Amino acid sequence: TGRAVRCCLQRGDDMLITSGRHRFLGKYKVGYNNDGTIVAADITYYSNGGCTLDQSAFIMDKALLHMDNGYKIPNLRGQGVVCKTYLPSYTAFRGVGGPQGLTVMESVLHELAVRCGLPPEKV
């Protein structure tokens, strides 16, 4: 008929259809002292961008901007790779890449604490 259609979904249906946050994999090498002080970090993020670029590049940029999570790391290098897959494209939510970048750094700190035998809050 050429007429526009309006579709209003229930909240549950909307959550099932919405693709969710971009999935990230973080690989890292970290230089640290025995007291848990990080002196260098080299982190590479891999993002599942889905079948189209959509917001993926912007989200990767934001993840790289937040990668230090506010910690002082004198020598820091970050790289980001958006991977094209055959999955549906993901979208941006509140935080837009921030949570992905922050989570990888928190994983680094947790692993460092375990290796140094320190509680995580002391690293």
Side-chain angles (χ1 to χ4, degrees):
T1 63
R3 294 177 40 186
V5 174
R6 180 178 178 160
C7 179
C8 296
L9 300 173
Q10 297 292 322
R11 183 73 172 153
D13 294 332
D14 184 50
M15 294 303 288
L16 286 172
I17 294 170
T18 304
S19 58
R21 288 190 186 275
H22 286 70
R23 294 182 176 117
F24 269 60
L25 170 67
K27 296 198 175 212
Y28 50 84
K29 294 180 185 176
V30 178
Y32 59 92
N33 296 327
N34 289 335
D35 66 354
T37 304
I38 297 176
V39 294
D42 183 6
I43 302 173
T44 303
Y45 292 106
Y46 298 92
S47 171
N48 180 345
C51 59
T52 62
L53 186 59
D54 195 28
Q55 297 286 326
S56 299
F58 174 67
I59 289 169
M60 180 60 77
D61 289 345
K62 292 289 283 182
L64 288 166
L65 285 172
H66 291 283
M67 69 183 291
D68 64 353
N69 197 11
Y71 298 107
K72 183 179 179 184
I73 303 171
N75 302 291
L76 180 63
R77 178 172 59 183
Q79 301 175 66
V81 179
V82 177
C83 303
K84 185 174 181 178
T85 65
Y86 290 103
L87 297 173
S89 294
Y90 295 94
T91 188
F93 285 87
R94 279 186 250 154
V96 189
Q100 292 92 325
L102 305 176
T103 301
V104 172
M105 182 52 70
E106 291 303 317
S107 296
V108 168
L109 294 176
H110 178 75
E111 184 176 343
L112 182 59
V114 170
R115 288 178 179 253
C116 291
L118 298 169
E121 63 272 7
K122 296 292 183 185
V123 175

